[in-house]
Amino acid sequence: MKNGTGKHVLVAGGAGFLGSHLCDALLSEGAHVTVLDNFQTGRKQNIRHLEREPRFDIIDSDIIKPLPARLRSKRLKIDEVFNLACAASPPHYQADPEHTMLTSVVGTHNLLTFAEATGARFFLASTSEIYGDPEVHPQTESYWGNVNPTGPRACYDEGKRAAETLTFDFDRAGRADVRVARIFNTYGPRMRADDGRVVSNYICQALTGDDITVYGDGSQTRSFCYVSDLVDGFLRLMAYDGPFPGAVNLGNPVELTVGDLAEKVLAMTGSSSRVVTRPLPIDDPRRRRPDISLAKNLLGWSPRTALDTGLKATIAWFSAEQAEDGTAARKTSTVGSAISAGQV
């Protein structure tokens, strides 16, 4: 699917795990990409390889604040706005729950009004977390969810639900042309080791020989979509020109238990790590699997990357990251020793 050569695309959260891969895909299609990111959870190293690209710009700013004057210039034509700007893993979004909620509500409103003013098509990266701990399985877009509105995850879950409300209200009022993707568990290179997600946790623990931490009894299920497949879904949904589809699930419908995932990671890494269990976090979903019938019928989309293939690439990336971090640590230690000895 082609987004169109020559388009100017704004990617809020473009330095994050998903956002950086989206930037790569947009640039490969000939678009000019401007990233808007406050680097709260996004990392400059994710987009460092794009710094010399003439069709790529970075603006360091937070979407809960008024958008920078550079973006509001009447001379700047933006064709598409992707809103991926929000901490998306429990340790990160619970670290500052107020900011998480404001990012989803105030930030989304700021970007929607910007899209309205510029005539840009608006894309909201929503989440399967809006289904909460679901009582319907698999989850279809018509399911309203089972969310605790006052629990520790509510800043993200209810924030995204409110973001969807704002987005659909702008559509109903004819104020913006919008698209909404509900993202299920996604993994791949450029995940953060400290994001607390099950794939990154297991791989990092296995590579370092630490105990692999399984929360609960390991019977809760997830379905994992490789990042390149998800980005393909983003581009297809943004490019879709048919009748308004509402929210669209994007994820991999292949379901497995988190206990089985731990055993798979152990086998693929050859690790001798032990599997240990810890209490299940509050409001952690017991089952999670998307019904992607709408995405298949509407967009011709379905994930193509097998779990073993995606895990192999992700393990290789984390292994290289750990090797690089170890080299950097050794260099730092050597310099520190030289300083203390009066050699530098």
Side-chain angles (χ1 to χ4, degrees), residues 36 94 127 163 184 205 226 235 264 297 306 330 343-344:
L36 184 66
Q94 291 174 11
T127 174
F184 284 69
Q205 289 169 339
Y226 191 64
L235 298 180
K264 184 178 285 290
N297 296 332
R330 286 192 296 273
Q343 297 175 32
V344 177

Side-chain angles (χ1 to χ4, degrees), residues 201-213 266 271-276 322:
N201 273 0
Y202 287 179
I203 291 175
C204 291
Q205 289 169 339
L207 290 175
T208 56
D210 294 335
D211 291 343
I212 290 186
T213 308
L266 280 171
S271 175
S272 58
S273 295
R274 299 181 310 143
V275 175
V276 299
Q322 290 188 2

Side-chain angles (χ1 to χ4, degrees), residues 21-39:
H21 285 280
L22 175 61
C23 290
D24 288 342
L26 289 167
L27 288 164
S28 72
E29 294 185 345
H32 184 120
V33 176
T34 296
V35 162
L36 184 66
D37 205 304
N38 68 349
F39 298 96

Side-chain angles (χ1 to χ4, degrees), residues 102-120:
L102 292 175
T103 299
S104 289
V105 179
V106 176
T108 296
H109 185 261
N110 284 341
L111 291 173
L112 278 165
T113 54
F114 175 74
E116 178 186 18
T118 59

Side-chain angles (χ1 to χ4, degrees), residues 87-150:
S89 68
H92 291 161
Y93 67 63
Q94 291 174 11
D96 189 348
E98 178 185 4
H99 188 271
T100 298
M101 177 64 80
L102 292 175
T103 299
S104 289
V105 179
V106 176
T108 296
H109 185 261
N110 284 341
L111 291 173
L112 278 165
T113 54
F114 175 74
E116 178 186 18
T118 59
R121 178 172 288 179
F122 178 84
F123 180 103
L124 174 67
S126 187
T127 174
S128 61
E129 296 297 332
I130 67 104
Y131 298 122
D133 187 7
E135 297 176 338
V136 171
H137 192 81
Q139 292 79 60
T140 63
E141 292 88 351
S142 61
Y143 177 51
W144 290 358
N146 176 39
V147 175
N148 177 357
T150 61

